[in-house]
Amino acid sequence: MALAFVACGIEIVVLGWLGTWKWHIPFNPASAGSAAYWLSVLVLLCTTFLMAGRRRRYSGVFIFLPVLAYVLVMGAGGCLSSGLINARRYALQLGVPEPSELGEQDLPPFDPAQLPWVSVEQAAVLGDKLLGQLGAIGSSVVIQGYTRQEVGGRLYHVAPILHKGFFAYSRNSGGTPGYIMVSMTDNDDVRLVTRLDGRDLKIRVQPAGHAAWGDKLERIVYSYSPTALTSYTVFEIDDELHPYWIVPVYRNTIGWSGAELSSLLIVDAVSGDIQEYSPLEVPAWVDRVQPVEFIEEQLSHWGELRGGYWNRWLAKADLLQSDPGNALVYRDGGCYLFDSLTSYAGSDEATVGFVLVNLRSKAVQRFNLAGATEWAAQLSALGDERVRHLRYQAGFPVPAMVEGQPTYFFSLEDPGSHIAKMFALVNIAKHQITGVGATIQAARIDYLAKLRGQGLAVLHSPGVELFEVTGRVLRRGQYTQGGETYYNFIIDEAHDRILLAGGGFAEAPLTQAGDRVHIRAMKTEDSIWSLVFFDNLEFSQAQPPQK
């Protein structure tokens, strides 16, 4: 009997150390992984006690009972968590509403200064070049994955500099020198941040594989809350550029599945201090309160299970799925997940609509919009005769509104260097309307020319407000694109906008600086407004409205 107690004591010490200090397994039966581990420990202890106690007559029966109990508990937990009996609960978890029509205000306006076109691959190339500034220590550190974030009203890729491994940590346990910021809108804005508030900045708290002992992020979080279920940790900085680790804490609402965010831990990457917030109280500088992975999983469950479990396998009626990949859209100070929806039975290149999910409140907007998926838009741009022979690769598309037209915007990169060589705009509803150019403005001009060629640039949507004014021309210019001549005007009553007129306005070529004109234009957040009516008041002839 003494041997049984000794054997069980050794197992408790070893398995307890592995579970808490090494693997940080929560004491929480609501997680399948946690339940499996601690139940396995209990079964092993019972088995060891019975075998070491030498109760030979009934040892086989007693050893079998703990194993049977383990199988029954895990099997019951798996069944109670399955979609077979919880299809409706899974389908309703995200709360996707009925679709509505897309309006001008639902997508961000086309603003070249704020359009994210520097891909994470290009950011990694630019960031690696800065490691040489660290001197000898540069060989012992690594740049972790980049996080997309809005910092002080501008978009950046942000990544921490971490130890390469345990031995690098042992030689320099005081922390690594800061982090890297790469602008998503300007590839010349690349920063190595190693000092903050006049002092050296050291990233002391780091994830597993990069730090150990009291500097390991998972150990700090586990010490704070041994029962917390955590996942999908990301690195972010606040508007004062101080670094933090954002750690979502979740609870399972459908057996061992159905993860829902319950709180957010913000861990200071320098000091290790922890602040815990409810989802509604998280500081404004945190972009993504709701983990994108949770939203994607819940969206998938909604598309597959909203008609019931067996409908997914038998009738397969009204099944939807999200297109691979997603984009983050920043609008009105908020961060949204944009994801297109396709039919299971339809082509992978065609959407039936898309969703916008607020990553702070988890509010969902669903829109009807038949058109191209992100992948189809990329193929359309790469198939353009001006691009096809260059063998570029396309960045992931970002949606925007261009004169009332929902449009994908993305860069075309050299596959070796990941440097953006050209830019593309692809109409979502009609992806054959594609504009490309060596600059964002050139791509926009080419796209507008294609819209006019299809009669879309003047057939503005009802959501676009018309701007009407009489004023005097301050400046005039013209250019030719795609065989058609366009005219730019600046007038005194709208001096902060460039007014663009196509060749269909007979009086536009005759207009000079100083002439009084009466115009109507599509009013958008963009700096260039397209004219739908143009009348030079210096002439007696009137220009009728364009239809």
Side-chain angles (χ1 to χ4, degrees):
M1 187 62 67
L3 178 60
F5 283 110
V6 171
C8 288
I10 293 174
E11 288 180 356
I12 289 174
V13 171
V14 173
L15 296 177
W17 177 83
L18 287 173
T20 58
W21 184 257
K22 178 67 175 176
W23 296 326
H24 316 297
I25 299 175
F27 293 100
N28 193 328
S31 164
S34 299
Y37 182 83
W38 294 117
L39 191 58
S40 297
V41 171
L42 182 61
V43 168
L44 185 58
L45 289 175
C46 292
T47 304
T48 302
F49 183 80
L50 293 172
M51 293 182 65
R54 298 182 180 179
R55 299 178 182 270
R56 294 180 179 176
R57 183 176 180 181
Y58 302 106
S59 59
V61 176
F62 286 127
I63 291 171
F64 175 73
L65 288 178
V67 176
L68 178 62
Y70 174 85
V71 173
L72 291 176
V73 170
M74 296 304 296
C79 290
L80 293 175
S81 307
S82 71
L84 178 63
I85 60 177
N86 295 293
R88 181 170 176 79
R89 295 177 67 188
Y90 279 118
L92 296 177
Q93 194 175 5
L94 184 58
V96 180
E98 290 299 313
S100 59
E101 294 301 318
L102 181 68
E104 171 78 11
Q105 71 285 350
D106 293 318
L107 290 177
F110 186 86
D111 181 1
Q114 277 292 82
L115 283 172
W117 57 268
V118 178
S119 67
V120 66
E121 293 82 8
Q122 184 177 356
V125 172
L126 296 172
D128 286 342
K129 294 179 180 180
L130 293 184
L131 286 184
Q133 298 181 18
L134 298 177
I137 197 176
S139 61
S140 61
V141 297
V142 64
I143 301 174
Q144 202 195 32
Y146 283 84
T147 302
R148 294 171 286 183
Q149 188 186 352
E150 186 175 44
V151 183
R154 301 194 66 83
L155 301 179
Y156 286 91
H157 295 289
V158 182
I161 299 173
L162 305 179
H163 299 293
K164 272 190 174 180
F166 176 77
F167 293 107
Y169 164 78
S170 301
R171 292 193 299 268
N172 189 25
S173 59
T176 47
Y179 56 87
I180 288 176
M181 298 174 62
V182 180
S183 171
M184 297 175 66
T185 61
D186 181 4
N187 59 358
D188 291 326
D189 184 3
V190 184
R191 311 181 198 178
L192 173 62
V193 182
T194 59
R195 292 181 63 82
L196 199 61
D197 298 328
R199 294 179 294 179
D200 289 341
L201 177 63
K202 296 291 185 180
I203 306 294
R204 181 180 67 82
V205 179
Q206 302 186 18
H210 302 283
W213 316 119
D215 297 332
K216 185 179 177 182
L217 174 63
E218 292 82 358
R219 189 162 295 145
I220 292 174
V221 171
Y222 191 79
S223 299
Y224 175 81
S225 179
T227 61
L229 303 178
T230 62
S231 188
Y232 303 117
T233 298
V234 296
F235 179 85
E236 289 196 20
I237 60 178
D238 64 15
D239 289 337
E240 284 71 44
L241 306 186
H242 192 89
Y244 296 90
W245 294 102
I246 310 300
V247 184
V249 178
Y250 68 93
R251 67 185 188 281
N252 287 320
T253 60
I254 307 174
W256 285 332
S257 296
E260 285 284 2
L261 184 73
S262 59
S263 65
L264 210 66
L265 302 181
I266 298 182
V267 184
D268 192 311
V270 178
S271 66
D273 295 338
I274 297 180
Q275 296 290 330
E276 185 171 7
Y277 297 91
S278 71
L280 298 179
E281 298 173 341
V282 175
W285 59 265
V286 179
D287 281 1
R288 286 167 286 180
V289 176
Q290 298 287 338
V292 171
E293 294 79 4
F294 286 0
I295 302 299
E296 288 281 11
E297 182 180 36
Q298 293 172 15
L299 183 61
S300 175
H301 288 159
W302 167 79
E304 294 177 2
L305 299 174
R306 62 194 185 123
Y309 180 83
W310 294 113
N311 176 68
R312 174 186 178 185
W313 302 105
L314 301 178
K316 297 184 178 181
D318 202 26
L319 293 180
L320 297 176
Q321 62 184 347
S322 60
D323 198 50
N326 55 67
L328 293 185
V329 175
Y330 291 84
R331 187 193 71 190
D332 301 327
C335 181
Y336 296 79
L337 178 72
F338 173 92
D339 215 340
S340 57
L341 300 174
T342 63
S343 171
Y344 266 62
S347 168
D348 288 339
E349 297 184 16
T351 68
V352 296
F354 66 87
V355 294
L356 279 174
V357 184
N358 188 310
L359 293 182
R360 178 169 292 268
S361 67
K362 202 184 169 184
V364 183
Q365 295 174 281
R366 179 185 169 199
F367 300 99
N368 279 328
L369 182 63
T373 64
E374 294 91 335
W375 181 66
Q378 291 172 316
L379 291 181
S380 179
L382 293 174
D384 188 282
E385 60 182 7
R386 295 162 293 178
V387 178
R388 188 185 306 121
H389 67 286
L390 299 173
R391 301 188 182 277
Y392 290 152
Q393 65 182 23
F396 196 82
V398 176
M401 276 290 184
V402 181
E403 297 194 358
Q405 293 291 324
T407 304
Y408 287 126
F409 166 80
F410 49 95
S411 61
L412 302 175
E413 303 176 353
D414 174 74
S417 64
H418 295 291
I419 295 176
K421 298 294 187 179
M422 299 182 73
F423 300 91
L425 289 162
V426 179
N427 191 276
I428 296 180
K430 297 183 177 181
H431 67 279
Q432 69 271 20
I433 303 177
T434 301
V436 297
T439 65
I440 296 177
Q441 188 61 21
R444 181 186 183 279
I445 292 172
D446 186 49
Y447 179 66
L448 290 177
K450 300 292 181 58
L451 285 178
R452 290 183 177 84
Q454 294 288 325
L456 295 178
V458 295
L459 298 176
H460 64 277
S461 68
V464 180
E465 180 183 354
L466 286 180
F467 173 80
E468 184 169 6
V469 73
T470 297
R472 194 168 297 278
V473 176
L474 300 179
R475 292 196 177 187
R476 173 193 179 278
Q478 69 182 63
Y479 63 90
T480 300
Q481 180 77 30
E484 186 173 354
T485 301
Y486 299 93
Y487 303 91
N488 291 324
F489 299 96
I490 297 177
I491 65 174
D492 55 1
E493 296 299 323
H495 59 84
D496 58 343
R497 292 292 186 269
I498 296 175
L499 306 175
L500 182 62
F505 296 99
E507 295 180 350
L510 304 175
T511 301
Q512 301 295 330
D515 289 354
R516 290 183 69 251
V517 296
H518 181 75
I519 60 98
R520 281 200 295 270
M522 287 191 287
K523 187 176 181 180
T524 69
E525 296 298 325
D526 199 358
S527 60
I528 301 178
W529 291 353
S530 288
L531 296 177
V532 297
F533 176 85
F534 184 91
D535 182 19
N536 190 319
L537 301 179
E538 305 295 334
F539 309 140
S540 59
Q541 298 88 351
Q543 173 66 39
Q546 299 296 300
K547 297 181 180 181

